[in-house]
Amino acid sequence: MGKVLMIGAGGVATVAAFKIAQNADVFTDFMIASRTKAKCDKIVEAIGNPNIKTAQVDADDVEQLKALFNDYKPELVINLALPYQDLTIMEACLACGCSYLDTANYEPKDEAHFEYSWQWAYKKRFEDAGLTAILGCGFDPGVTSIFTAYAAKHHFDEIQYLDIVDCNAGNHHKAFATNFNPEINIREITQKGLYWEDGKWVETAPLEIHKSLTYPEVGLKESYLLHHEEIESLVKNYPTIKRARFWMTFGQQYLTYLDCIQNLGMSRIDEITYEAPLTDDPTKKVKVNIVPLQFLKAVLPNPQDLGENYDGQTSIGCRIRGLKDGKEQTYYVYNNCSHEAAYKETGMQGVSYTTGVPAMIGAMMFFKGLWRKPGVWNVEEFDPDPFMEQLNKQGLPWHEIFGGDLEL
């Protein structure tokens, strides 16, 4: 049915690749490309399907991307590289007539800041080219936005209060590790908090607002208010929302380490100059520019290697309050994902699984012609029903609670 090219070879890409291979009736031709071709080959070996093609590409380089796209001629490019590379990949897609899908919005390398404006600016160019760009098709953003769209379609006349809650109750048995790219993860968490209330954005100090919330099958977990990108598109697409917030759980040990990292200057994203001996001639020294956070990433555990001893589960969902037939009602829709089950199926932990599966389903929606219209779109702007149906079939079943205490 469709020819797809996936860029990226990390944990999320590994999961997406397994799921694409499982749905060969939809994805008839498949290529994985990354800066390091050996990583792509390793994924193909793990899947055991020699028909999957691999290629080397630097996703920062538009010309390299264009050469690859023109050679392979994919109908859809799935971007599971770094958020820094969203715009170069979108440019190459426009130049080569490929549609586009990603899981995280663009952020510049030199500033810990992310918003949709850079990608939304491509709307007219994708419209004029007759190409579809699907933004934020992971879990959060992604499934949480689709959960909201599903709630709006079936259970509410007016959504007024939205709280997205993200709990990782798993244990990787490491002193300190991040569940996805450490550089992106630490940049995200150390930013100021941001939420929407009464038509305006309210800024908080990093992790300033927190409270204990009860998660299904998990129990009470301390949850912290963060800025998260899906809030930006959801309040635009559902203007009845009076307040929208995003919460994520962190253990005390994680926060203690994070505090140390910040106090030691290791979370800095500006360059420092460091003098070091050359590897091949230790008698000679050279001055190099190092970004402390990128160096920290090099010494922390690779998120791809956490799966083997990871136990417990994630619990992510939307807690919604609003009106139906003039009456106020509450609704909680969520998914719990087992780290052990994710590892057994794909060799990756649950955080990679919950992002990689929805990326594949979004691509499936595109190839089935259900999510296909020229322009740049956030996932909640498409019909949620076929996507919700596939979540149940592809390993991320969801559950609903009506009329419960949302605790928020």
Side-chain angles (χ1 to χ4, degrees):
M1 189 186 286
K3 193 172 191 180
V4 66
L5 189 155
M6 182 180 80
I7 300 176
V12 173
T14 301
V15 172
F18 266 87
K19 290 306 213 181
I20 287 168
Q22 285 172 20
N23 290 275
D25 57 323
V26 175
F27 304 99
T28 49
D29 291 277
F30 180 29
M31 175 184 274
I32 307 169
S34 169
R35 195 183 298 264
T36 309
K37 185 176 179 291
K39 288 183 179 178
C40 307
D41 294 333
K42 192 178 168 190
I43 295 171
V44 174
E45 193 182 327
I47 293 168
N49 180 349
N51 294 324
I52 300 170
K53 297 175 180 68
T54 61
Q56 191 278 329
V57 73
D58 178 355
D60 289 317
D61 187 328
V62 177
E63 293 308 314
Q64 276 194 42
L65 290 163
K66 280 161 63 175
L68 178 63
F69 295 178
N70 282 328
D71 181 50
Y72 184 63
K73 295 186 170 52
E75 199 176 344
L76 178 71
V77 173
I78 301 177
N79 169 15
L80 300 178
L82 294 173
Y84 315 139
Q85 296 161 332
D86 288 3
L87 302 188
T88 50
I89 296 171
M90 288 177 85
E91 285 289 350
C93 282
L94 283 166
C96 302
C98 310
S99 287
Y100 171 89
L101 179 145
D102 68 25
T103 61
N105 71 355
Y106 173 74
E107 61 179 281
K109 255 186 185 169
D110 55 357
E111 187 187 355
H113 175 78
F114 50 89
E115 61 180 61
Y116 275 118
S117 60
W118 288 290
Q119 289 179 277
W120 284 344
Y122 280 74
K123 190 169 184 72
K124 185 159 189 329
R125 291 176 65 194
F126 270 82
E127 275 175 12
D128 291 348
L131 298 170
T132 302
I134 300 168
L135 305 185
C137 197
F139 206 103
D140 42 355
V143 174
T144 51
S145 312
I146 293 153
F147 280 169
T148 305
Y150 185 81
K153 181 175 176 178
H154 296 285
H155 303 308
F156 290 93
D157 298 322
E158 192 176 299
I159 290 177
Q160 296 176 328
Y161 298 95
L162 168 67
D163 285 281
I164 295 169
V165 293
D166 181 330
C167 167
N168 180 10
N171 186 356
H172 46 54
H173 305 283
K174 306 275 187 194
F176 183 85
T178 62
N179 292 296
F180 57 95
N181 184 297
E183 190 181 343
I184 304 298
N185 185 248
I186 291 170
R187 279 168 67 123
E188 183 179 292
I189 292 161
T190 53
Q191 278 192 60
K192 289 179 178 175
L194 199 67
Y195 66 96
W196 178 264
E197 188 162 34
D198 296 331
K200 61 181 188 294
W201 292 104
V202 182
E203 199 174 77
T204 74
L207 308 182
E208 174 191 3
I209 296 175
H210 55 97
K211 66 180 296 177
S212 290
L213 299 174
T214 312
Y215 293 86
E217 297 178 40
V218 171
L220 270 181
K221 289 284 179 184
E222 200 64 16
S223 308
Y224 295 79
L225 188 148
L226 300 183
H227 166 42
H228 226 245
E229 63 242 53
E230 66 262 48
I231 298 292
E232 185 187 3
S233 68
L234 287 167
V235 298
K236 179 172 81 81
N237 289 317
Y238 298 95
T240 60
I241 292 176
K242 295 178 181 178
R243 188 186 66 215
R245 301 176 295 191
F246 180 94
W247 306 81
M248 186 176 274
T249 62
F250 300 104
Q252 196 48 57
Q253 182 171 324
Y254 180 93
L255 294 175
T256 301
Y257 272 88
L258 189 67
D259 199 37
C260 292
I261 286 165
Q262 287 182 272
N263 289 338
L264 292 169
M266 288 305 296
S267 63
R268 284 172 55 177
I269 60 170
D270 57 319
E271 289 183 342
I272 59 161
T273 303
Y274 178 76
E275 191 172 41
L278 282 168
T279 308
D280 49 2
D281 185 357
T283 61
K284 291 180 182 170
K285 289 192 171 183
V286 64
K287 282 187 177 178
V288 291
N289 289 331
I290 292 176
V291 173
L293 183 54
Q294 289 177 359
F295 175 78
L296 179 68
K297 175 189 169 185
V299 297
L300 284 176
N302 183 340
Q304 274 180 268
D305 300 333
L306 295 176
E308 191 173 2
N309 300 307
Y310 220 133
D311 48 46
Q313 60 185 323
T314 63
S315 181
I316 313 172
C318 296
R319 302 185 183 191
I320 300 169
R321 188 151 47 97
L323 299 176
K324 179 70 173 176
D325 299 327
K327 291 180 186 158
E328 184 173 275
Q329 84 164 7
T330 66
Y331 176 69
Y332 182 14
V333 55
Y334 67 92
N335 161 266
N336 278 30
C337 177
S338 155
H339 287 291
E340 295 103 321
Y343 180 75
K344 196 173 174 185
E345 185 186 343
T346 65
M348 296 295 135
Q349 35 88 352
V351 176
S352 295
Y353 192 88
T354 55
T355 308
V357 174
M360 180 281 294
I361 298 175
M364 176 188 279
M365 295 296 101
F366 172 82
F367 282 119
K368 287 187 170 184
L370 300 167
W371 285 18
R372 193 188 284 228
K373 50 185 176 179
V376 174
W377 309 97
N378 294 87
V379 292
E380 68 270 17
E381 295 177 273
F382 296 103
D383 182 8
D385 292 3
F387 192 104
M388 293 286 278
E389 185 187 340
Q390 285 298 327
L391 284 171
N392 286 327
K393 291 179 179 176
Q394 303 290 343
L396 292 175
W398 45 276
H399 314 276
E400 300 171 296
I401 299 170
F402 293 90
D405 176 10
L406 299 182
E407 306 177 301
L408 288 157

